[in-house]
């Protein structure tokens, strides 16, 4: 039954969950209530923390359709549990689209002759039984899930996309809008159109924060200490907790308010809604539902929903979603039914596929354009949290937890401490029962051991390093909305970079043009605004084929279009609203050469004759833009239909990726050396755009052009030539990438640009070294019954071919002339480069090859936003710690998915990125990694120190319990506040080391070096503490007064028969004093030993607060040891021990210090780091050279002995990428040879695909 009733919701999406149903069980509820009362409410807390236990403890399993409560578990790696209460409401119908289905079933629906208001009431009166239907639903993460009888599962109602409507049906069935009855009917299912970020009250936040397990443990500790009259430290912990809670509440409240304000701008605006063919009404945007048709005002607005344009054009600023501040042009959705020649079928509407026609929620419509006085209309597609902005806000409100080994290991380490505490707890319990102490004393003192072993101040101490790192990052202009990720930055070993705007400058500079006439290239020309070129088709194409618009008199649009248009020197003029209203056939935009604007007075008599002809020409030479087919990243081109003023026939101009444009042109117009010329430019790092032209047939009228499919225009073109743009590297890029390379951090380029351009930029910036090979993986999907395949090409090296461009195929000859491929592989590193299309094919058909490719994949070109995210996920799947650095444009998904996403844009898109740099430069990346490493090492230092503090104090108390003694309250207070808190909060102040080193810190606490460090220091400290404990009882003076004129020592042995009232006097004894001094110095010794500097942090001596604090405590302890002060001794309950024993204690402490420093700084840091624990063995696996140990100057004799003693075999690396590299280093068929092909073949016993490589002659 359980398997049958396990449902999947949000299948295939990021928030996919398994769902099971439960019904409340009364007898279980009674039992849980009794258990909660008996445990003092602890059972209630446990069930609050564990939703799964709560549901299973109070409910019984049932069918999902009958459930009172649903239990959901995420299907991702985190396996999080959620519970939700199922509610039942009376709905006016079963399906939100019922009324619309009835309306569109009318024979008059397609021609819009009916009135929608006539059909809705008829629907309701015909089906009275559907007026009140019980509807089951639950709410989770601001999303409503409704029960659907048809699919027998809960589903989310997203909007009109649920109907899988075609583009033509958007026009035919949804363009008239909804009447009032239908709007009210749908609003029942979709609710108000608002992204409601509720700012919780401080009381609610306080309760949620206080019920954290950590604070509950602190509360338990404080109550226990107060019972034992240990008020002072209890008060210190309370004050620290109150400050921590207050800070946390302030931060959380501030983030909620910021989010609330961010969505408030468009939450409620007045909109004009169409209620029929010619009826409109004013309404609030909160009342909008999917299917409503709204009018976009001419002066612009902020979109309150996602809507698809069905009439008119809009200029939109989408910086909130994409990070691009450049306005984009949105055109109305094509209507394939009106295009009689269209043979490509009617596509299903999708907001992603048709984003050029979709206005997204939260984006700013700057201005609108329309024909012959018609209104600009859009059909509402999605509302509320289903919109693009709603989904972004949801991802911020309900983020995925940070999965980092450090935090998992921290819990494991705490469990180990709890295990130690349990052992000591049982020991102390037995000892106190044997000593026949009172029941209260037994309970309080035994439980006190737990608070000693698991220190309540641990989380605050761990947070300190992150807070300090966050403050230092803020000083260099890096802001974080997820401080916990700072530690993860310390582990980054691969960083993906966007190219344009990140590695290179934002803008493109015009380098030159290369025109084509009669199928041959001219020599390249520097300027396009030459007089002789004014009337050429080439310049006309540059002047018209763009999406520029004027906003408040200023040209605005894509930077590339802007540079191209400015290079012509032409002028763009837009028609006014009056002109469009009074003319039936007028071009909305036209362009003209600038000469006609020269005032007559400027033209001198000498120039007059020369310019008069050109002046007349320019006065009449105006080109009107009739229709625009926007740039599509999928098609990699854009085109326009234009008309020269005074002519009847129209022209079409096309621009786009050279390979695409050439494929749409007549073969005879494309030069024979097109490929060589193009490669020559792209290998030099130029951005190349091709232009083409076509004279349209005279029968194509203005109105026909408005409805024609772009495929009918973009064919049989004449090739015009190439525009060459230069995208300069940012000055800091090569230096930063060189630093990352020296630090053994891989760098990868992920760009939407041309493949060869990207490879060239990768070489120029040092991402690919001059001597390295680049292998292009060109994957092709299955076609005509043939399997998917990958063709391998070796790109040549520019250093060997500076003058003559070389075809890819010539690489084979070069290899045969010199070394064999196998020899070259040994001598050189190699890199894979591939396009987004190839990447998609490899993901689908070559899963077992994918991980091998990303191991050496350096250039990923023409990548779509979702492909960038897939790449990050693939890299993470082979155990890379991935950083992503982008300018916010289309990088949001990858920035969110990476371990550390760094946005170089301060726009709202960066709100989803964990880190944002105010300086638009990649210098922030090494800064962030350095601070991350420093914060990570600080976390390790603090955790190790707190663990040692717990164990040392726990063992001190256990030793004293054995002789019916204990540390005094003020001794505890002095250790916990004056030593521990002061040391912990100052040892975290070490700033990051000034440069990145090749060595990386350990990723978790459960690692060889850290376990070795902690365990050896525990043994050392316990050994010397036991030594002092045993020695003092063997010395002669133990039973005699000392010559130093101290009072007679107090011995615990004298009190074996003491009564309960005498117990407090046992505190003050020579054994207690000895243990107090030894343990106090041990805390300082381990703090100094653990507080390391290079290579990840600045040397400890530069951390003056820590050094000063340690010196003051050491001086104070020595002072009260050798120069006893009566008041201090009374306060700390110290015994005045003989001078000889004080000297002995100093010698014991000196021995402790020497052994601790030797083990930590010599044995661990020098010998074991290099030969046993080194994590950076990439060099052994063919990835990159191994890193240096933290300290130099290795004792060669010692290391040889250690190697001989260990006799270690070659270890299998833990990281998957290292394991893969180890396998590939001995694979004779890897990397693939030039001009070979890899074909996908189905495996005989698996759904996966295997492959084999075959050579192609």
């Amino acid at each position: 039954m359980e398997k049958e009733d396990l449902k999947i919701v949000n299948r295939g999406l990021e928030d996919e969950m398994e769902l099971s149903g439960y019904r409340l069980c009364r007898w279980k509820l009674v039992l849980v209530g009794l258990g909660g009362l008996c445990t003092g409410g602890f059972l209630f807390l446990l069930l609050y923390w564990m939703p799964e236990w709560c549901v299973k403890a109070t409910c019984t399993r049932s069918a999902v359709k009958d459930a009172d409560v649903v239990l959901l578990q995420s299907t991702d790696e985190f396996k999080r549990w959620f519970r939700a209460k199922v509610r039942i409401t009376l709905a006016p119908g079963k399906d939100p689209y019922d009324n619309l289905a009835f309306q569109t079933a009318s024979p008059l629906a397609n021609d819009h002759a009916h009135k929608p208001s006539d059909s809705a009431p008829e629907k309701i009166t015909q089906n009275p039984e559907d007026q009140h239907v019980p509807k089951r639903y639950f709410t989770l993460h601001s999303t409503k899930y409704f029960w659907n009888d048809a699919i027998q599962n809960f589903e989310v109602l997203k909007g009109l996309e649920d109907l899988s409507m075609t583009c033509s049906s958007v026009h035919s069935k949804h363009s008239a809008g909804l009447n009032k009855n239908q709007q009210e009917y749908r609003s029942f299912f979709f609710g108000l159109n608002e992204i409601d970020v509720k700012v919780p009250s401080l009381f609610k936040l306080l309760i949620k924060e206080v019920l954290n397990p950590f604070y509950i443990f602190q509360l338990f500790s404080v109550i226990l200490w107060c019972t034992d009259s240990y008020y002072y430290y209890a008060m210190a912990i309370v004050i620290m907790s109150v400050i921590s809670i207050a800070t946390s509440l302030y931060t959380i409240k501030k983030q909620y308010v910021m989010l609330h304000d961010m969505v408030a701008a468009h939450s409620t605006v007045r909109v004009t809604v169409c209620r029929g063919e010619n009826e409109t009404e004013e309404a609030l945007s909160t009342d909008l539902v999917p299917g409503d048709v709204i009018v976009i005002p001419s002066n612009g607005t902020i979109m309150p929903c996602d809507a698809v344009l069905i009439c008119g054009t809009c200029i939109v600023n989408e910086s909130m979603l994409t990070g691009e501040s450049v306005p984009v042009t949105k055109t109305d959705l094509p209507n394939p039914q009106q295009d009689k020649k269209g043979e490509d079928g009617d596509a299903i509407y999708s907001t992603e596929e048709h984003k050029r026609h979709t206005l997204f929620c939260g984006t700013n419509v700057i201005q609108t354009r329309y024909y012959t006085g018609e209104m600009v209309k859009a059909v509402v597609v999605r509302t509320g949290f289903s919109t693009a902005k709603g989904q972004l806000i949801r991802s911020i409100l309900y983020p995925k937890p940070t999965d980092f080994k450090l935090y998992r290991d921290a819990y494991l380490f705490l469990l180990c401490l709890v295990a130690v505490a349990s052992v000591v707890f049982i020991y102390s319990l037995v000892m106190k029962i044997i000593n026949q102490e009172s029941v209260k004393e037994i309970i309080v003192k035994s439980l006190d051991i737990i608070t000693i072993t698991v220190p309540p101040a641990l989380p605050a101490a761990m947070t300190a390093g992150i807070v300090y790192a966050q403050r230092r990052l803020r000083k260099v202009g890096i802001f974080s909305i997820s401080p916990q990720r700072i530690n993860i930055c310390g582990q980054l070993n691969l960083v993906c970079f966007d190219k344009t705007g990140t590695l290179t400058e934002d803008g493109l500079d015009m380098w030159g043009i290369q025109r084509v006439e009669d199928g041959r290239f001219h020599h390249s020309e520097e300027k396009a605004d030459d007089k002789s070129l004014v009337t050429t088709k080439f310049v006309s194409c540059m002047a018209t084929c763009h999406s520029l618009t004027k906003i408040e008199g200023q040209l605005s649009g894509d930077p590339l279009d802007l540079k191209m248009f400015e290079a012509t020197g032409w002028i763009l003029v837009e028609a006014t609203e009056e002109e469009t209203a009074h003319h039936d056939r007028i071009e909305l935009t036209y362009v003209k050469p600038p000469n006609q604007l020269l005032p007559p007075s400027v033209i001198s008599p000498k120039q007059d004759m020369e310019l008069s002809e050109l002046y007349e020409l320019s006065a009449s030479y105006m080109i009107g833009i009739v229709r625009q087919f926007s740039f599509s990243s999928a098609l990699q081109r854009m085109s326009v239909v234009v008309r020269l003023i005074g002519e009847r026939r129209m022209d079409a101009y096309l621009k786009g990726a050279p390979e695409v444009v050439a494929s749409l042109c007549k073969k005879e117009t494309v030069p024979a050396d097109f490929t060589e010329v193009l490669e020559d430019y792209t290998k030099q790092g130029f951005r190349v755009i091709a232009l083409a032209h076509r004279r349209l047939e005279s029968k194509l009228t203005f109105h026909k052009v408005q409805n024609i499919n772009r495929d009918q225009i973009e064919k049989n073109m004449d090739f015009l030539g190439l525009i060459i743009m230069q995208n300069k590297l940012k000055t800091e890029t090569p230096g930063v990438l060189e630093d990352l390379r020296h630090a053994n951090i891989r760098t990868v380029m992920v760009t939407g640009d041309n493949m060869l351009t990207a490879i060239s930029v990768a070489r120029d910036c040092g991402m690919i070294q001059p001597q390295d090979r680049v292998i292009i993986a060109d994957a092709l999907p299955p076609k005509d019954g043939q399997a998917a395949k990958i063709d391998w090409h070796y790109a040549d090296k520019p250093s060997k071919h500076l003058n003559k461009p070389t075809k890819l195929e010539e690489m084979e000859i070069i290899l045969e002339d010199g070394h064999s491929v196998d020899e070259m592989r040994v001598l050189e590193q190699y890199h894979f480069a591939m396009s987004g299309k190839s990447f998609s094919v490899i993901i689908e058909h070559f899963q077992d090859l994918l991980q091998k490719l990303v191991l050496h994949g350096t250039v990923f070109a023409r990548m779509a936003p979702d492909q960038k995210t897939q790449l990050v996920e693939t890299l993470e799947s082979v155990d890379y710690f991935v950083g992503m650095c982008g300018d916010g444009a289309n990088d949001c998904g990858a920035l969110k998915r990476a371990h550390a996403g760094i946005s170089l844009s301060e726009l709202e898109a960066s709100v989803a990125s964990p880190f944002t740099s105010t300086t638009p430069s990649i210098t922030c990346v090494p800064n962030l990694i350095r601070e991350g490493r420093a914060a990570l090492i600080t976390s390790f230092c603090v955790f190790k120190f707190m663990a040692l503090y717990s164990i040392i104090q726990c063992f001190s108390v256990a030793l004293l319990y054995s002789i019916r003694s204990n540390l005094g309250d003020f001794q505890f207070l002095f250790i916990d506040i004056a030593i521990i808190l002061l040391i912990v909060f100052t040892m975290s102040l070490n700033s990051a080391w000034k440069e990145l080193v090749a060595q990386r810190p350990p990723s978790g606490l459960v690692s060889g070096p850290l376990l070795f460090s902690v365990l050896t220091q525990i043994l050392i400290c316990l050994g010397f503490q036991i030594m002092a404990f045993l020695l003092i009882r063997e010395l002669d003076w133990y039973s005699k007064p000392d010559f130093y004129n101290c009072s007679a020592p107090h011995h615990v042995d004298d009190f074996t028969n003491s009564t309960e009232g005498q117990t407090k006097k046992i505190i003050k004894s020579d054994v207690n004093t000895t243990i107090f001094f030894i343990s106090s110095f041990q805390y300082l010794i381990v703090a100094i030993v653990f507080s390391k500097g290079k290579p990840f942090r600045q040397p400890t001596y530069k951390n003056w607060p820590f050094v000063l604090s340690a010196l003051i405590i050491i001086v104070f302890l020595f002072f009260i040891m050798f120069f006893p002060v009566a008041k201090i001794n009374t306060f700390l309950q110290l015994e005045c021990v003989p001078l000889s024993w004080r000297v002995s204690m100093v010698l014991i402490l000196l021995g402790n210090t020497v052994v601790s420093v030797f083990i930590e700084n010599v044995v661990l840091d020098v010998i074991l780091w290099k030969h046993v624990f080194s994590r950076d063995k990439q060099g052994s696996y063919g990835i990159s050279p191994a890193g240096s140990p933290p300290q130099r100057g290795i004792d060669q004799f010692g290391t040889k002995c250690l190697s001989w003693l260990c006799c270690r075999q070659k270890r299998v690396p833990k990281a998957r990428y290292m394991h893969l590299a180890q396998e590939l280093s001995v694979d004779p068929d890897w990397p693939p040879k030039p001009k070979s092909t890899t074909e996908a073949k189905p495996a005989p016993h698996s759904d996966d695909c295997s492959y084999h490589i075959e050579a192609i002659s």
Side-chain angles (χ1 to χ4, degrees), residues 165-172 333-336 346-350 354:
M165 56 190 181
T166 59
C167 293
S168 60
S169 69
V170 173
H171 286 276
S172 63
L333 186 72
N335 186 358
D346 199 357
I348 299 291
Y349 170 75
S350 158
H354 299 91

Side-chain angles (χ1 to χ4, degrees), residues 192-194 266-271 283-289 304:
L192 290 175
N193 172 36
E194 59 181 359
H266 63 85
S267 58
T268 309
V269 293
R270 300 291 298 182
V271 289
L284 287 174
S285 60
T286 49
D287 295 330
L288 292 175
V289 294

Side-chain angles (χ1 to χ4, degrees), residues 1178-1217:
Q1178 292 100 318
S1180 312
Y1181 311 130
I1183 296 174
S1184 53
S1188 307
Q1191 275 83 21
R1192 306 277 178 183
I1194 298 168
D1195 181 356
Q1196 294 295 327
F1197 176 76
T1199 56
K1200 284 177 183 176
C1201 288
L1202 188 71
S1203 300
W1204 179 78
L1205 285 169
C1206 292
C1207 295
R1208 291 187 302 114
Q1209 295 180 349
K1210 193 172 183 181
R1211 291 188 305 161
V1212 176
K1214 287 183 181 178
R1216 285 184 213 168
Y1217 69 88

Side-chain angles (χ1 to χ4, degrees), residues 818-839:
H819 304 280
S820 69
V821 177
D822 293 331
E823 288 174 350
M824 295 298 283
R825 181 175 60 181
V826 175
L827 294 171
E828 300 173 344
Q829 290 284 331
Y830 59 92
H831 304 261
F832 288 113
M834 67 192 76
S835 66
K837 285 182 181 177
S838 295
F839 184 69

Side-chain angles (χ1 to χ4, degrees), residues 41 91 178 208 250 286 299 326 362 439 447 471 495 756 816 939 956 1089 1123 1129 1193 1232:
L178 305 175
K208 191 176 178 181
Y250 172 76
T286 49
N299 58 345
V326 176
V439 175
L447 288 174
R471 193 176 64 187
V495 184
L756 293 174
E816 288 172 357
S939 295
S956 301
V1089 164
F1123 304 98
N1129 279 8

Side-chain angles (χ1 to χ4, degrees), residues 505-510 559-560 563 687 689 725-727:
E505 296 290 352
D506 243 334
L508 288 161
D509 295 320
M510 191 79 176
L560 186 147
K563 286 281 183 186
R687 175 86 177 268
I689 297 152
M725 316 282 285
Q726 195 172 21
N727 193 197

